[in-house]
Amino acid sequence: MEGKIREGIKNIEMRIGWEQKHLGKAVEDFKEAAAAYDAYHIETFIPGKIKDIAGHRTEIEKLEEQKQILEYMLKQGC
């Protein structure tokens, strides 16, 4: 069981890294767009970019919670 928990933690850590990479890209895209867009494009497209950033942050938070649960299980000897 311990091996499966450790494997689960490792998989979650990889997924967190992937999400962080995508979050960084989304933030960079937002910054570039905000600097280059005119008022119409800001109004039209920036909300979608913000939603994308929020989605990545939410996913990272969920994954961190899952990781904490598995780490707790590991400490309890499950």
Side-chain angles (χ1 to χ4, degrees):
M1 183 70 159
E2 182 179 327
K4 287 188 179 205
I5 293 173
R6 290 189 188 280
E7 184 179 326
I9 291 170
K10 191 180 289 188
N11 287 339
I12 289 172
E13 287 173 342
M14 288 181 4
R15 289 174 54 200
I16 290 171
W18 183 81
E19 282 295 331
Q20 288 174 332
K21 185 188 268 187
H22 287 279
L23 173 61
K25 174 91 171 84
V27 169
E28 189 60 35
D29 287 347
F30 172 85
K31 289 177 181 179
E32 290 174 8
Y37 285 0
D38 61 15
Y40 170 79
H41 288 97
I42 288 172
E43 180 183 0
T44 305
F45 297 110
I46 294 295
K49 293 188 180 296
I50 292 170
K51 186 176 179 182
D52 188 35
I53 290 168
H56 289 299
R57 291 188 67 236
T58 299
E59 186 63 23
I60 290 169
E61 289 173 6
K62 288 179 186 177
L63 291 168
E64 288 287 351
E65 288 176 9
Q66 291 174 10
K67 181 181 169 191
Q68 287 177 349
I69 290 168
L70 291 177
E71 288 172 340
Y72 176 79
M73 290 173 62
L74 196 59
K75 286 180 185 177
Q76 297 303 313
C78 292

